[in-house]
Amino acid sequence: LPAGLSQWFPALEVLDVSGTGLAVLGEELLALPRLHTLLAKNNRLGGPGSLPKGLGQAPPGRSLRVLNLSGNRFAEVPPALLGLRGLQSLSLGGNRLHGIPPDIQELRSLEFLYLGGNFITSIPPELANLPSLSYLVLCDNKIQSIPPQLAQLHSLRSLSLHNNLLTYLPREILNLVHLEELSLRGNPLVVRFVRDLTYNPPSLQELAGRTVKTRNVPYAPSDLPENLVRYLSLASNCPNPKCGGVYFDSCVRQIKFVDFCGKYRLPLMHYLCSPECSSPCSSASQSSTSQSESDSEDEASVAARRMQKVLLG
């Protein structure tokens, strides 16, 4: 950046230095107290010292709302960016990122996050702690699974996941009731019914806990040790509508295909309390349209139709 920038333009609010070949954003940036939009895409940023030290504590760190660093050479999300607490839009697409730091949750004002076109393999659950996030773009990466915690992004309206390595989606994604766009094309989503054949039998503690819950055995906190009361509170209901059982630690992982908006069938991960809950569906292993499968997916199908628009093509 040119020396004396802050002296020439003390009231500068928008700065666009895209496509200029910059490898460093100098400390002159720190003296722009009104800067709210910084566009520095398609440069050579990404090496040591490419961003000024103390960016989060400087005046621009408090005023910046939009930051676009797409098309650069960052191998990780710069720690300096995690101090921009007022940032609403962050674009780091087309870089060399291999992961998302858990501290991304510090950007509490973030509404738009673009991380497409990188080498990201996983999504940290902490990403779900962004209460205002409405647009999340993770396309063209190497992501293999979606953490169920993303269902906590209650403000999310658009989720772009196309061209990744996804084979299923967590059932919890149906809780994103405000989601309007879901892009999944270019993923190896499973095309037939798949079931995890491994199953660890329940422990004696779990068997006892299941009995307490399914038979509604009355108890008070004063009747049991605190750890057992806490354990009983963690019971999960079996999604099989014909079961009514519960599970704690031991469960059967299963993928169910769900009608989505009456047009698409999505593979969602389910957790059943027993192999017996999935045995009626064993004949469906070669067909995703069997009647037994449809019977157990009705509840999820109804929930899925709350979403208005799905981009799979």
Side-chain angles (χ1 to χ4, degrees):
L1 293 179
L5 179 65
S6 60
Q7 297 176 0
W8 299 338
F9 305 104
L12 191 66
E13 296 182 353
V14 178
L15 177 60
D16 188 350
V17 292
S18 301
T20 56
L22 283 176
V24 174
L25 291 177
E27 295 187 357
E28 296 82 4
L29 191 69
L30 303 181
L32 297 173
R34 299 186 184 181
L35 188 67
H36 61 69
T37 299
L38 174 58
L39 309 178
K41 57 185 179 180
N42 301 329
N43 282 301
R44 296 185 291 119
L45 300 169
S50 59
L51 296 180
K53 294 182 179 179
L55 179 60
Q57 292 73 40
R62 295 185 290 271
S63 62
L64 266 178
R65 297 293 180 266
V66 178
L67 178 59
N68 191 329
L69 295 174
S70 291
N72 280 285
R73 304 176 180 180
F74 290 102
E76 62 178 13
V77 177
L81 302 187
L82 303 177
L84 303 177
R85 303 301 172 87
L87 201 62
Q88 297 174 354
S89 175
L90 175 61
S91 299
L92 279 165
N95 277 275
R96 303 171 181 177
L97 305 179
H98 285 78
I100 306 172
D103 287 344
I104 194 78
Q105 64 183 338
E106 301 299 328
L107 302 179
R108 304 283 291 177
S109 300
L110 210 58
E111 300 176 6
F112 178 92
L113 179 59
Y114 190 104
L115 298 174
N118 283 287
F119 303 96
I120 298 170
T121 58
S122 62
I123 304 172
E126 289 81 3
L127 190 63
N129 297 328
L130 298 175
S132 302
L133 194 63
S134 299
Y135 299 90
L136 177 58
V137 181
L138 295 167
C139 60
D140 300 294
N141 278 288
K142 300 180 180 298
I143 299 169
Q144 301 183 40
S145 63
I146 304 300
Q149 290 86 351
L150 285 196
Q152 301 170 19
L153 292 172
H154 301 302
S155 298
L156 199 63
R157 295 185 178 276
S158 178
L159 177 58
S160 296
L161 294 167
H162 51 272
N163 298 332
N164 276 287
L165 301 176
L166 298 173
T167 55
Y168 68 88
L169 298 177
R171 178 184 172 89
E172 289 81 359
I173 201 170
L174 298 177
N175 295 328
L176 295 174
V177 295
H178 294 113
L179 196 66
E180 298 173 355
E181 297 181 349
L182 174 61
S183 179
L184 292 169
R185 67 181 184 275
N187 280 282
L189 293 172
V190 286
V191 296
R192 66 183 180 87
F193 184 85
V194 180
R195 184 166 58 246
D196 189 341
L197 299 179
T198 62
Y199 176 68
N200 295 320
S203 64
L204 292 178
Q205 176 175 290
E206 175 150 347
L207 288 173
R210 292 186 181 197
T211 300
V212 170
K213 286 295 185 179
T214 56
R215 298 188 180 182
N216 294 318
V217 177
Y219 66 91
S222 58
D223 298 332
L224 301 171
E226 182 180 351
N227 64 315
L228 292 182
V229 174
R230 185 168 54 251
Y231 179 80
L232 289 172
S233 69
L234 299 177
S236 298
N237 293 322
C238 182
N240 184 348
K242 299 179 181 180
C243 173
V246 299
Y247 64 87
F248 294 88
D249 302 314
S250 180
C251 60
V252 177
R253 297 178 63 198
Q254 183 186 55
I255 291 178
K256 279 292 189 182
F257 283 83
V258 177
D259 285 336
F260 209 71
C261 298
K263 185 175 181 180
Y264 303 104
R265 295 175 68 82
L266 296 184
L268 301 180
M269 181 64 77
H270 288 225
Y271 298 89
L272 305 171
C273 68
S274 167
E276 295 179 359
C277 290
S278 58
S279 59
C281 299
S282 59
S283 60
S285 59
Q286 302 300 321
S287 173
S288 65
T289 59
S290 69
Q291 183 63 45
S292 58
E293 181 184 346
S294 298
D295 290 343
S296 59
E297 69 184 23
D298 288 345
E299 178 185 356
S301 298
V302 171
R305 291 191 179 96
R306 292 180 298 187
M307 298 188 186
Q308 301 173 9
K309 184 178 181 183
V310 183
L311 304 178
L312 293 179

